[in-house]
């Protein structure tokens, strides 16, 4: 979706959801999330506020757009995970793959993660998206164990995985001593040690249909 609007001297200016996203992130980083208005973002992009709301329902949605895509990627990776790979190895591989970024993407990612972890206003908006992330893990565990996504094992793995990954994100933003996946791998490896397939009740090869 791309819209044009007359710019200086009558030349059309083009925008897209990605263009608005990058402009919003720059303004958030320069002057703060609360201090940045939709009007300012739209003006910097050369479009109207009404156009902004065609792409995003709110300022917060700009930060959560990539988050939703990550959930979809994790779901797809878990769906194709081979049965011989344990539950937690499958989860670890999916999360690390979904969070592998090129060097040029790192500054943008730091802004996103830093704002989501430090702006109270974003907590409520992020909660729904965190729930979707957690649910993707829980549903995979349920599929492997033959139980319900709301079973104790499925909920425990989903919530614990989200918690350790959020901790890894927070430390990465604060310390920045290594790539994000190094922090995620360390956190997920520690979690994997406690949630092996036997503990989760995953059927062995002889008991699977």
């Amino acid at each position: 979706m791309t819209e044009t609007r007359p710019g200086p001297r009558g030349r059309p200016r083009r925008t897209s959801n990605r263009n608005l996203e990058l402009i919003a992130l720059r303004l958030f980083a320069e002057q703060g999330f609360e201090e940045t208005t939709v009007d300012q973002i739209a003006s910097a992009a050369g479009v109207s506020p009404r156009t902004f709301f065609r792409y995003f329902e709110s300022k917060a949605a700009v930060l959560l757009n990539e988050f939703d895509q990550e959930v979809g990627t994790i779901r797809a990776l878990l769906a194709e995970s081979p049965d011989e790979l344990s539950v937690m190895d499958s989860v670890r591989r999916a999360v690390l793959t979904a969070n592998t970024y090129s060097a040029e993407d790192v500054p943008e990612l730091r802004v996103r993660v830093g704002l989501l972890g430090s702006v109270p206003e974003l907590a409520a908006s992020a909660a729904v998206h965190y729930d979707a992330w957690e649910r993707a893990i829980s549903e995979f565990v349920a599929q492997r164990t033959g139980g319900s996504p709301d079973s104790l094992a499925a909920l425990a793995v989903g919530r614990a995985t989200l918690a350790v990954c959020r901790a890894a994100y927070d430390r990465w933003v604060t310390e920045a001593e290594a790539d994000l996946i190094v922090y995620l791998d360390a956190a997920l490896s520690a979690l994997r040690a406690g949630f092996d397939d036997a503990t989760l009740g995953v059927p062995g090869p002889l008991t699977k249909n």
Side-chain angles (χ1 to χ4, degrees):
M1 183 175 180
T2 303
E3 179 169 316
T4 61
R5 181 186 180 188
R9 300 181 182 176
R11 291 183 299 176
R13 296 184 61 178
R14 300 177 64 83
T15 192
S16 64
N17 60 337
R18 181 58 177 160
N19 187 44
L20 283 169
E21 191 175 32
L22 291 173
I23 289 171
L25 288 170
R26 174 176 59 79
L27 292 175
F28 293 159
E30 291 175 354
Q31 58 192 37
F33 179 82
E34 295 95 339
E35 293 75 15
T36 300
T37 66
V38 169
D39 284 352
Q40 290 174 333
I41 298 170
S43 177
V47 300
S48 67
R50 181 178 178 181
T51 296
F52 174 92
F53 287 116
R54 289 178 183 170
Y55 294 101
F56 301 103
E57 63 181 19
S58 64
K59 286 193 303 179
V62 174
L63 293 169
L64 297 167
N65 183 49
E66 290 289 327
F67 197 94
D68 290 339
Q69 293 181 30
E70 180 183 330
V71 172
T73 300
I74 288 174
R75 281 188 177 279
L77 291 168
L78 289 174
E80 63 187 31
S81 184
D83 288 344
E84 57 268 23
L85 201 62
S86 72
V87 167
M88 292 311 298
D89 279 330
S90 298
V91 169
R92 171 180 168 273
R93 186 175 73 168
V95 172
L96 294 183
T97 301
N99 282 276
T100 300
Y101 295 90
S102 61
E104 56 266 28
D105 292 330
V106 170
E108 177 186 332
L109 181 63
R110 284 195 179 283
V111 172
R112 289 181 188 278
V113 175
L115 289 170
L116 287 172
S118 63
V119 180
E121 181 183 338
L122 293 172
S125 297
V128 173
H129 302 268
Y130 285 136
D131 285 346
W133 199 102
E134 176 188 304
R135 191 74 177 177
I137 306 298
S138 296
E139 289 177 357
F140 171 70
V141 176
Q143 179 263 315
R144 280 295 189 88
T145 61
S148 164
D150 296 316
S151 68
L152 177 58
L155 288 175
V157 175
R159 293 178 184 179
T161 301
L162 175 61
V164 300
C165 287
R166 290 185 65 181
Y169 273 118
D170 289 346
R171 296 317 302 163
W172 175 68
V173 169
T174 302
E175 298 176 353
E177 294 177 352
D179 289 341
L180 172 60
I181 59 171
V182 173
Y183 290 85
L184 288 170
D185 192 18
L188 289 167
S189 294
L191 182 63
R192 179 185 55 182
F195 280 138
D196 59 20
D197 278 3
T199 299
L200 294 174
V202 176
L206 297 180
T207 61
K208 292 184 177 179
N209 295 328

